[in-house]
């Protein structure tokens, strides 16, 4: 399972909410006017080309009116605390600070599990410490599900299954996460995307899914129907795009009415039209 990619997508889709949860101590200073921009990793290849120094998600926060200096959040997800390298994180921050000419850098590490980890790095000699480094840690299993169960922060709601809760609450936790998704995310594509995210981290077994279907029947049926309808819609849209490309290559640019008919046709109609493409003499003949 690619936890890094799961959390990278989450942070890129909801950067402000991610900082509010994962870096709460620093996020208090971020008002509604700030602009949060991911720092593209492609810009860092020349300096951070080694495999073991690949960045997770650096986020640059800027105040458009210039009243504060920009601040850089270096967010890293770590599934196993024992694999976490404090030296590697320090390298991330130092390289980014130099590359972007920014001294305001906040290192943040999101841990999916509890475990021993090094929290502070201090380099020095007999008389002085010449480099002192530490980071903000968000250990998801140490956050209480009860505290965040009704949170308006979608990143918190999606991570409810990763938070501390009793084993008997697993189904309730999943249900609250699903409610958060449907209440806080209006876009169907993202709803489907993060329904998969929650399924991964909830890890309900067959008995748990059966219990969810029984105790939250209306919500379960609604989400199941939505997911199936959206997947079918996605397949229809994909088939429509294939047919549009085929017809454009054969007949040239298509009139807008033709494009509209194809884009709104059902799967059965699209299949029938696709069978005519190779033998028809015109776009109109395909659709007749």
């Amino acid at each position: 399972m690619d936890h890094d990619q799961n959390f990278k997508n989450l942070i890129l889709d909801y950067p402000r909410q991610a900082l509010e949860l994962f870096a709460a101590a620093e996020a208090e200073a971020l008002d509604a006017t700030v602009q949060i921009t991911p720092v593209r990793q492609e810009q860092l290849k020349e300096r951070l080309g080694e495999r073991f120094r690949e960045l997770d998600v650096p986020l640059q926060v800027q105040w458009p009116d210039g009243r504060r200096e920009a601040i850089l959040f270096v967010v890293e997800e770590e599934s196993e605390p024992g694999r976490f390298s404090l030296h590697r994180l320090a390298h991330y921050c130092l390289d980014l600070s130099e590359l972007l000419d920014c001294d305001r850098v906040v290192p943040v590490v999101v841990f999916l599990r509890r475990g021993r980890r090094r929290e502070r790095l201090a380099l020095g000699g007999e008389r002085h410490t010449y480099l002192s480094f530490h980071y903000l840690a968000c250990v998801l299993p140490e956050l209480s599900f009860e505290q965040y169960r009704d949170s308006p922060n979608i990143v918190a709601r999606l991570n409810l299954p990763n938070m501390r809760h009793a084993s008997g609450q697993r189904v309730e936790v999943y249900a609250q996460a699903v409610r958060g998704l449907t209440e806080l995310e209006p876009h169907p594509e993202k709803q489907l995307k993060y329904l998969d995210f929650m399924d991964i981290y909830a890890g309900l077994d067959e008995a748990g899914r059966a219990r969810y279907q029984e105790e939250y029947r209306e919500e379960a049926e609604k989400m199941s129907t939505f997911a199936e309808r959206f997947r079918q819609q996605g397949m229809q849209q994909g088939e429509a795009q294939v047919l549009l490309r085929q017809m454009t290559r054969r007949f040239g640019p298509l009139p807008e009415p033709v494009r509209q008919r194809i884009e709104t046709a059902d799967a059965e109609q699209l299949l029938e039209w696709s069978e005519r493409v190779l033998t028809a003499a015109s776009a109109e003949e395909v659709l007749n």
Side-chain angles (χ1 to χ4, degrees):
M1 186 185 304
D2 193 344
H3 298 292
D4 286 347
Q5 191 60 51
N6 290 343
F7 275 82
K8 183 177 293 186
N9 289 334
L10 183 69
I11 294 165
L12 291 175
D13 281 337
Y14 308 108
R16 182 183 293 271
Q17 294 92 334
L19 293 180
E20 289 173 353
L21 178 65
F22 301 144
E26 291 282 351
E28 291 180 356
L30 308 183
D31 57 36
T33 68
V34 299
Q35 296 177 346
I36 304 176
T37 308
V39 177
R40 292 179 60 82
Q41 292 194 41
E42 288 80 353
Q43 297 173 342
L44 304 170
K45 286 183 177 178
E46 184 177 342
R47 299 296 303 277
L48 299 177
E50 304 97 325
R51 181 179 177 185
F52 72 93
R53 298 204 16 216
E54 181 181 355
L55 286 171
D56 274 1
V57 188
L59 298 173
Q60 189 172 46
V61 178
Q62 296 173 304
W63 281 260
D65 59 10
R67 71 180 184 274
R68 292 189 180 183
E69 292 183 44
I71 187 168
L72 186 70
F73 287 83
V74 182
V75 187
E76 177 177 340
E77 179 275 331
E78 187 60 73
S79 305
E80 298 292 342
R83 295 171 52 189
F84 170 64
S85 170
L86 187 56
H87 288 81
R88 183 187 64 208
L89 182 60
H91 277 300
Y92 288 174
C93 296
L94 290 170
D95 283 339
L96 278 167
S97 173
E98 182 180 7
L99 183 68
L100 300 177
D101 191 22
C102 177
D103 292 337
R104 283 161 49 87
V105 179
V106 179
V108 183
V109 184
V110 182
F111 291 97
L112 277 180
R113 297 182 179 87
R114 296 186 182 92
R116 294 182 61 184
R117 64 186 188 277
R118 192 169 178 181
E119 298 181 358
R120 187 175 296 270
L121 175 66
L123 304 182
E126 295 290 341
R127 296 177 62 84
H128 300 288
T129 296
Y130 298 99
L131 175 65
S132 178
F133 179 81
H134 63 286
Y135 57 92
L136 285 178
C138 178
V139 185
L140 289 173
E142 293 181 358
L143 301 183
S144 169
F145 155 67
E146 296 294 348
Q147 180 180 350
Y148 292 96
R149 59 176 297 150
D150 298 309
S151 172
N153 183 323
I154 190 169
V155 173
R157 294 291 285 275
L158 294 176
N159 275 287
L160 290 179
N162 291 319
M163 296 181 186
R164 185 179 74 252
H165 57 272
S167 58
Q169 290 183 295
R170 199 69 174 167
V171 172
E172 180 188 0
V173 169
Y174 179 75
Q176 284 298 110
V178 172
R179 284 175 181 167
L181 177 63
T182 57
E183 291 170 0
L184 300 172
E185 177 51 72
H187 298 292
E189 188 172 349
K190 284 188 178 179
Q191 285 188 2
L192 188 61
K193 176 180 179 180
Y194 286 104
L195 184 62
D196 289 341
F197 178 96
M198 290 184 300
D199 283 344
I200 290 170
Y201 292 107
L204 294 180
D205 57 18
E206 288 189 18
R209 290 193 174 278
R211 183 180 156 201
Y212 175 72
Q213 296 281 345
E214 178 64 27
E215 296 182 8
Y216 302 91
R217 183 173 302 175
E218 184 176 345
E219 294 178 6
E221 290 178 355
K222 178 181 177 181
M223 288 305 296
S224 177
T225 301
F226 156 75
E228 181 61 28
R229 185 173 66 249
F230 191 79
R231 289 190 175 99
Q232 290 178 354
Q233 180 182 347
M235 293 175 61
Q236 182 273 336
Q237 291 174 346
E239 292 169 355
Q241 291 303 312
V242 170
L243 180 58
L244 284 169
R245 285 198 298 269
Q246 290 176 332
M247 292 180 63
T248 300
R249 288 176 181 174
R250 182 167 172 77
F251 307 116
L254 302 175
E256 187 59 30
V258 171
R259 297 184 65 87
Q260 288 181 359
R261 286 189 64 187
I262 293 172
E263 289 171 351
T264 57
D266 58 31
E268 185 177 351
Q269 183 66 78
L270 289 170
L271 177 61
E272 181 180 339
W273 286 342
S274 66
E275 292 173 347
R276 300 178 188 170
V277 171
L278 296 179
T279 58
S282 66
E284 288 74 16
E285 186 176 334
V286 172
L287 304 187
N288 288 335

